[in-house]
mmCIF file of all heavy atoms in Angstrom:
data_model
loop_
_atom_site.group_PDB
_atom_site.id
_atom_site.type_symbol
_atom_site.label_atom_id
_atom_site.label_comp_id
_atom_site.label_asym_id
_atom_site.label_seq_id
_atom_site.Cartn_x
_atom_site.Cartn_y
_atom_site.Cartn_z
ATOM 1 N N SER A 32 -11.500 83.480 24.847
ATOM 2 C CA SER A 32 -12.346 82.714 25.595
ATOM 3 C C SER A 32 -11.558 81.590 26.304
ATOM 4 O O SER A 32 -10.573 81.105 25.871
ATOM 5 C CB SER A 32 -13.473 81.969 24.722
ATOM 6 O OG SER A 32 -14.226 83.001 24.099
ATOM 7 N N TYR A 36 -11.550 71.517 29.801
ATOM 8 C CA TYR A 36 -11.965 70.195 29.276
ATOM 9 C C TYR A 36 -11.517 69.153 30.214
ATOM 10 O O TYR A 36 -10.484 69.213 30.827
ATOM 11 C CB TYR A 36 -11.403 70.023 27.897
ATOM 12 C CG TYR A 36 -12.005 70.647 26.756
ATOM 13 C CD1 TYR A 36 -11.705 72.001 26.364
ATOM 14 C CD2 TYR A 36 -12.920 70.038 25.907
ATOM 15 C CE1 TYR A 36 -12.387 72.635 25.265
ATOM 16 C CE2 TYR A 36 -13.442 70.561 24.912
ATOM 17 C CZ TYR A 36 -13.230 71.880 24.597
ATOM 18 O OH TYR A 36 -13.881 72.520 23.497
ATOM 19 N N GLN A 38 -10.935 64.780 30.496
ATOM 20 C CA GLN A 38 -10.708 63.583 29.773
ATOM 21 C C GLN A 38 -10.790 62.433 30.731
ATOM 22 O O GLN A 38 -9.796 62.207 31.583
ATOM 23 C CB GLN A 38 -9.436 63.570 28.974
ATOM 24 C CG GLN A 38 -9.139 62.286 28.164
ATOM 25 C CD GLN A 38 -7.753 62.367 27.442
ATOM 26 O OE1 GLN A 38 -6.846 63.016 27.914
ATOM 27 N NE2 GLN A 38 -7.597 61.735 26.311
ATOM 28 N N GLY A 43 -12.412 60.562 24.818
ATOM 29 C CA GLY A 43 -11.878 61.889 24.364
ATOM 30 C C GLY A 43 -12.238 63.017 25.322
ATOM 31 O O GLY A 43 -12.789 62.808 26.365
ATOM 32 N N PHE A 89 -7.861 69.735 31.368
ATOM 33 C CA PHE A 89 -7.104 70.573 30.472
ATOM 34 C C PHE A 89 -7.689 71.994 30.468
ATOM 35 O O PHE A 89 -8.878 72.194 30.272
ATOM 36 C CB PHE A 89 -7.097 70.052 28.998
ATOM 37 C CG PHE A 89 -6.474 68.820 28.789
ATOM 38 C CD1 PHE A 89 -7.015 67.571 28.879
ATOM 39 C CD2 PHE A 89 -5.032 68.837 28.518
ATOM 40 C CE1 PHE A 89 -6.263 66.422 28.728
ATOM 41 C CE2 PHE A 89 -4.304 67.564 28.279
ATOM 42 C CZ PHE A 89 -4.988 66.425 28.348
ATOM 43 N N SER A 98 -9.832 82.635 11.203
ATOM 44 C CA SER A 98 -10.293 81.715 10.255
ATOM 45 C C SER A 98 -10.725 80.393 10.874
ATOM 46 O O SER A 98 -11.382 79.567 10.212
ATOM 47 C CB SER A 98 -9.241 81.441 9.227
ATOM 48 O OG SER A 98 -8.076 80.917 9.822
ATOM 49 N N ALA A 99 -10.333 80.013 12.096
ATOM 50 C CA ALA A 99 -10.693 78.890 12.746
ATOM 51 C C ALA A 99 -10.671 79.036 14.297
ATOM 52 O O ALA A 99 -10.088 79.972 14.722
ATOM 53 C CB ALA A 99 -9.721 77.746 12.266
ATOM 54 N N ARG A 100 -11.487 78.192 14.786
ATOM 55 C CA ARG A 100 -11.482 78.242 16.258
ATOM 56 C C ARG A 100 -10.441 77.419 16.865
ATOM 57 O O ARG A 100 -10.796 76.364 17.548
ATOM 58 C CB ARG A 100 -12.908 77.932 16.745
ATOM 59 C CG ARG A 100 -14.042 78.573 16.026
ATOM 60 C CD ARG A 100 -13.955 80.129 16.268
ATOM 61 N NE ARG A 100 -15.129 80.763 15.735
ATOM 62 C CZ ARG A 100 -15.093 81.481 14.584
ATOM 63 N NH1 ARG A 100 -13.884 81.562 13.749
ATOM 64 N NH2 ARG A 100 -16.158 82.060 14.000
ATOM 65 N N GLN A 101 -9.235 77.791 16.788
ATOM 66 C CA GLN A 101 -8.220 76.928 17.327
ATOM 67 C C GLN A 101 -8.069 77.054 18.743
ATOM 68 O O GLN A 101 -8.049 78.127 19.397
ATOM 69 C CB GLN A 101 -6.840 77.346 16.668
ATOM 70 C CG GLN A 101 -6.898 77.237 15.169
ATOM 71 C CD GLN A 101 -5.510 77.508 14.500
ATOM 72 O OE1 GLN A 101 -4.502 77.095 15.136
ATOM 73 N NE2 GLN A 101 -5.506 78.237 13.369
ATOM 74 N N GLY A 105 -3.312 73.769 27.586
ATOM 75 C CA GLY A 105 -2.306 73.384 28.702
ATOM 76 C C GLY A 105 -1.930 71.995 28.644
ATOM 77 O O GLY A 105 -2.472 71.195 27.901
ATOM 78 N N SER A 106 -0.921 71.656 29.414
ATOM 79 C CA SER A 106 -0.407 70.300 29.373
ATOM 80 C C SER A 106 -1.187 69.175 30.128
ATOM 81 O O SER A 106 -0.921 68.025 29.971
ATOM 82 C CB SER A 106 1.029 70.172 30.022
ATOM 83 O OG SER A 106 1.046 70.732 31.293
ATOM 84 N N GLN B 37 -1.784 64.070 20.909
ATOM 85 C CA GLN B 37 -1.649 64.242 22.487
ATOM 86 C C GLN B 37 -0.335 63.521 22.853
ATOM 87 O O GLN B 37 -0.289 62.204 22.770
ATOM 88 C CB GLN B 37 -2.841 63.746 23.203
ATOM 89 C CG GLN B 37 -2.759 64.017 24.689
ATOM 90 C CD GLN B 37 -3.940 63.381 25.491
ATOM 91 O OE1 GLN B 37 -4.484 62.440 24.987
ATOM 92 N NE2 GLN B 37 -4.352 63.999 26.561
ATOM 93 N N GLY B 40 2.732 65.187 28.813
ATOM 94 C CA GLY B 40 3.240 66.392 29.408
ATOM 95 C C GLY B 40 3.162 67.570 28.389
ATOM 96 O O GLY B 40 3.674 68.639 28.647
ATOM 97 N N GLY B 42 0.092 68.274 26.482
ATOM 98 C CA GLY B 42 -1.280 68.671 26.089
ATOM 99 C C GLY B 42 -1.547 68.222 24.628
ATOM 100 O O GLY B 42 -0.909 67.387 24.168
ATOM 101 N N LEU B 45 -2.360 71.053 17.665
ATOM 102 C CA LEU B 45 -3.055 71.086 16.439
ATOM 103 C C LEU B 45 -2.209 70.617 15.264
ATOM 104 O O LEU B 45 -1.149 71.290 14.965
ATOM 105 C CB LEU B 45 -3.770 72.342 16.179
ATOM 106 C CG LEU B 45 -4.719 72.481 15.043
ATOM 107 C CD1 LEU B 45 -5.924 71.600 15.085
ATOM 108 C CD2 LEU B 45 -5.064 73.922 14.863
ATOM 109 N N TYR B 48 -6.268 71.414 10.280
ATOM 110 C CA TYR B 48 -7.725 71.762 10.473
ATOM 111 C C TYR B 48 -8.351 72.055 9.135
ATOM 112 O O TYR B 48 -7.664 72.226 8.093
ATOM 113 C CB TYR B 48 -7.944 72.721 11.559
ATOM 114 C CG TYR B 48 -7.443 74.235 11.044
ATOM 115 C CD1 TYR B 48 -8.288 75.098 10.539
ATOM 116 C CD2 TYR B 48 -6.124 74.585 11.334
ATOM 117 C CE1 TYR B 48 -7.860 76.316 9.979
ATOM 118 C CE2 TYR B 48 -5.727 75.812 10.907
ATOM 119 C CZ TYR B 48 -6.470 76.684 10.337
ATOM 120 O OH TYR B 48 -6.132 77.917 9.946
ATOM 121 N N VAL B 50 -11.854 74.308 7.546
ATOM 122 C CA VAL B 50 -13.030 75.156 7.827
ATOM 123 C C VAL B 50 -14.207 74.896 6.880
ATOM 124 O O VAL B 50 -15.228 75.536 6.917
ATOM 125 C CB VAL B 50 -12.673 76.652 7.641
ATOM 126 C CG1 VAL B 50 -11.546 76.917 8.674
ATOM 127 C CG2 VAL B 50 -12.154 76.925 6.231
ATOM 128 N N PHE B 90 -6.393 62.796 18.220
ATOM 129 C CA PHE B 90 -7.745 63.158 18.511
ATOM 130 C C PHE B 90 -8.314 64.003 17.373
ATOM 131 O O PHE B 90 -7.654 64.843 16.923
ATOM 132 C CB PHE B 90 -7.881 63.921 19.746
ATOM 133 C CG PHE B 90 -7.849 63.056 21.054
ATOM 134 C CD1 PHE B 90 -6.595 63.022 21.688
ATOM 135 C CD2 PHE B 90 -8.848 62.262 21.442
ATOM 136 C CE1 PHE B 90 -6.489 62.172 22.814
ATOM 137 C CE2 PHE B 90 -8.764 61.443 22.650
ATOM 138 C CZ PHE B 90 -7.569 61.409 23.232
ATOM 139 N N ALA B 96 -19.245 76.649 12.951
ATOM 140 C CA ALA B 96 -18.421 77.770 12.316
ATOM 141 C C ALA B 96 -18.331 78.900 13.379
ATOM 142 O O ALA B 96 -17.377 79.505 13.654
ATOM 143 C CB ALA B 96 -18.944 78.153 10.987
ATOM 144 N N ASN B 99 -17.224 78.323 19.730
ATOM 145 C CA ASN B 99 -15.814 77.763 20.121
ATOM 146 C C ASN B 99 -15.884 76.404 20.606
ATOM 147 O O ASN B 99 -14.811 75.761 20.794
ATOM 148 C CB ASN B 99 -15.325 78.727 21.152
ATOM 149 C CG ASN B 99 -14.952 79.983 20.576
ATOM 150 O OD1 ASN B 99 -14.655 80.170 19.412
ATOM 151 N ND2 ASN B 99 -14.939 81.010 21.490
ATOM 152 N N GLN B 101 -15.588 72.750 20.883
ATOM 153 C CA GLN B 101 -15.151 71.556 20.060
ATOM 154 C C GLN B 101 -15.678 70.224 20.691
ATOM 155 O O GLN B 101 -15.545 70.076 21.833
ATOM 156 C CB GLN B 101 -13.678 71.640 19.872
ATOM 157 C CG GLN B 101 -13.211 72.815 19.016
ATOM 158 C CD GLN B 101 -11.764 72.756 18.666
ATOM 159 O OE1 GLN B 101 -11.086 71.792 18.703
ATOM 160 N NE2 GLN B 101 -11.302 73.889 18.257
ATOM 161 N N PHE B 103 -14.951 66.206 20.690
ATOM 162 C CA PHE B 103 -13.865 65.297 20.501
ATOM 163 C C PHE B 103 -14.305 63.815 20.208
ATOM 164 O O PHE B 103 -15.280 63.359 20.912
ATOM 165 C CB PHE B 103 -12.833 65.364 21.533
ATOM 166 C CG PHE B 103 -12.017 66.561 21.610
ATOM 167 C CD1 PHE B 103 -12.529 67.818 22.035
ATOM 168 C CD2 PHE B 103 -10.691 66.603 21.022
ATOM 169 C CE1 PHE B 103 -11.840 68.946 22.136
ATOM 170 C CE2 PHE B 103 -10.039 67.778 21.083
ATOM 171 C CZ PHE B 103 -10.491 68.996 21.569
ATOM 172 N N GLY B 104 -13.535 63.160 19.383
ATOM 173 C CA GLY B 104 -13.634 61.739 19.392
ATOM 174 C C GLY B 104 -12.856 60.993 20.479
ATOM 175 O O GLY B 104 -12.280 61.644 21.245
#
Side-chain angles (χ1 to χ4, degrees):
Chain A
S32 296
Y36 278 83
Q38 183 181 25
F89 292 91
S98 61
R100 308 296 188 259
Q101 297 184 42
S106 58
Chain B
Q37 182 183 29
L45 184 65
Y48 63 96
V50 301
F90 286 100
N99 291 336
Q101 293 187 16
F103 285 79

